[in-house]
């Protein structure tokens, strides 16, 4: 993951170096091309784009009490929409903003057939995520571009449930909790709102988009607990 972050940062530095030259050389051709309604990678598209996308969303819930740390590995996915907006008429510098519905789940299981013992502890979460990205699009060919970016996440946790189930000698006991309810969580309910950061890179071939990003939370979802999330994305630009 450190190599990935360094790659994206190096890409930004390289693009920033060439930005001033592009600014000087860009002229009326870029300005006129920007008014085109098609998704054109060969020019600055000041009227931007829209994107619908789906992402595989593996994440870790990291708990750190100062003496020891523990990770819970969540699986998940998201479905979302983004809009890209050109910030200048001469440079391919863009602001992206949108929204996505995220689903995450984690399950810990144990069993011992000799004693007829089974145990499961499952967490499920549903959230609304609002990303805001700053990106620079570099045109590799007429049809291919690469866009390193960084941004912020604002997440509203809509639902969360923890279900605990134990089976012993054919008898099953279970209990579940609403993670965001003070009464269920003994006045230690998880936080509904979180903010975080992310860094990533996207590749576009015509209208097809693929990307990967990594980010972590600024704010805790529970005491001394934060999410670190990877997103592997496929989308369609229009």
């Amino acid at each position: 993951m450190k190599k990935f972050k360094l790659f994206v940062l190096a890409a930004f530095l390289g693009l920033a170096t060439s930005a001033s030259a592009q600014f000087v050389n860009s002229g009326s051709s870029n300005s006129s091309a920007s008014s085109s309604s098609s998704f054109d990678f060969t020019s600055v598209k000041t009227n931007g784009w829209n994107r619908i996308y789906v992402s595989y969303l593996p994440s870790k819930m990291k708990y750190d009490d100062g003496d020891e740390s523990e990770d819970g590995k969540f699986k998940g996915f998201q479905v979302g929409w983004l809009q890209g907006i050109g910030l200048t008429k001469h440079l391919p510098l863009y602001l992206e903003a949108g929204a996505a519905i995220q689903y995450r789940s984690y399950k810990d299981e144990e069993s011992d057939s000799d004693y007829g013992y089974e145990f499961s502890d499952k967490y499920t979460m549903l959230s609304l995520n609002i990303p805001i990205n700053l990106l620079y699009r570099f045109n590799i060919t007429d049809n291919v571009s690469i866009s390193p970016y960084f941004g912020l996440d604002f997440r509203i946790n809509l639902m969360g449930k923890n279900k605990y189930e134990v089976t012993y000698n054919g008898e099953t006991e279970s209990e579940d909790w609403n993670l965001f309810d003070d009464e269920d969580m003994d006045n230690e309910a998880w936080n509904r709102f979180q903010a975080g950061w992310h860094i990533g890179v996207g590749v576009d071939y015509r209208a097809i988009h693929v990307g990967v990003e990594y980010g972590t939370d600024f704010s805790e979802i529970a005491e001394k607990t934060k999410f670190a999330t990877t997103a592997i994305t496929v989308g369609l630009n229009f």
Side-chain angles (χ1 to χ4, degrees):
M1 190 56 64
K2 289 183 178 179
K3 291 182 179 179
F4 172 68
K5 294 179 184 177
L6 289 173
F7 167 74
V8 177
L9 289 172
F12 267 116
L13 290 174
L15 295 173
T17 302
S18 64
S20 58
Q22 290 191 29
F23 183 84
V24 172
N25 294 329
S26 61
S28 59
S29 61
N30 275 353
S31 299
S32 60
S34 67
S35 63
S36 172
S37 61
S38 62
F39 196 79
D40 184 1
F41 288 105
T42 62
S43 64
V44 176
K45 185 175 175 63
T46 55
N47 60 335
W49 61 84
N50 287 275
R51 176 182 304 137
I52 53 175
Y53 63 92
V54 295
S55 305
Y56 173 56
L57 212 66
S59 56
K60 291 183 180 180
M61 189 173 68
K62 298 185 174 183
Y63 172 75
D64 187 357
D65 66 357
D67 296 324
E68 59 179 288
S69 60
E70 184 177 345
D71 294 346
K73 294 183 179 181
F74 281 67
K75 297 179 180 179
F77 66 90
Q78 68 178 352
V79 179
W81 160 82
L82 277 172
Q83 183 177 35
I85 303 169
L87 297 179
T88 76
K89 293 183 178 181
H90 304 289
L91 292 176
L93 184 66
Y94 299 89
L95 181 73
E96 281 187 324
I101 293 294
Q102 298 181 338
Y103 173 82
R104 307 172 196 260
S105 66
Y106 166 80
K107 192 172 185 179
D108 184 20
E109 295 180 298
E110 293 181 7
S111 64
D112 190 329
S113 58
D114 292 336
Y115 293 94
Y117 171 78
E118 294 182 358
F119 160 83
S120 70
D121 188 20
K122 185 177 182 179
Y123 290 80
T124 55
M125 290 183 59
L126 188 68
S127 306
L128 173 66
N129 190 60
I130 301 172
I132 299 176
N133 304 325
L134 182 66
L135 68 87
Y136 187 98
R137 190 178 65 190
F138 180 64
N139 302 312
I140 304 298
T141 69
D142 288 350
N143 295 320
V144 179
S145 70
I146 182 170
S147 303
Y149 63 90
F150 64 91
L152 300 176
D153 293 291
F154 302 97
R155 188 164 66 247
I156 302 171
N157 297 310
L158 304 173
M159 294 187 296
K161 184 178 180 180
N162 176 209
K163 184 175 182 180
Y164 177 91
E165 188 172 275
V166 176
T167 299
Y168 184 70
N169 286 335
E171 296 185 2
T172 300
E173 293 184 2
S174 65
E175 192 171 358
D176 58 71
W177 301 268
N178 180 347
L179 297 172
F180 302 105
D181 184 87
D182 279 333
E183 185 176 349
D184 280 7
M185 299 296 291
D186 294 329
N187 294 318
E188 294 183 358
W190 289 15
N191 296 318
R192 289 280 189 182
F193 176 78
Q194 289 181 273
W197 65 271
H198 58 262
I199 188 169
V201 62
V203 177
D204 294 278
Y205 173 71
R206 296 185 182 273
I208 298 173
H209 172 87
V210 295
V212 61
E213 71 176 49
Y214 174 81
T216 62
D217 295 334
F218 292 132
S219 56
E220 299 176 341
I221 190 169
E223 186 178 2
K224 300 178 182 178
T225 305
K226 298 180 180 181
F227 273 110
T229 303
T230 301
I232 302 169
T233 297
V234 177
L236 181 67
N237 300 315
F238 58 95

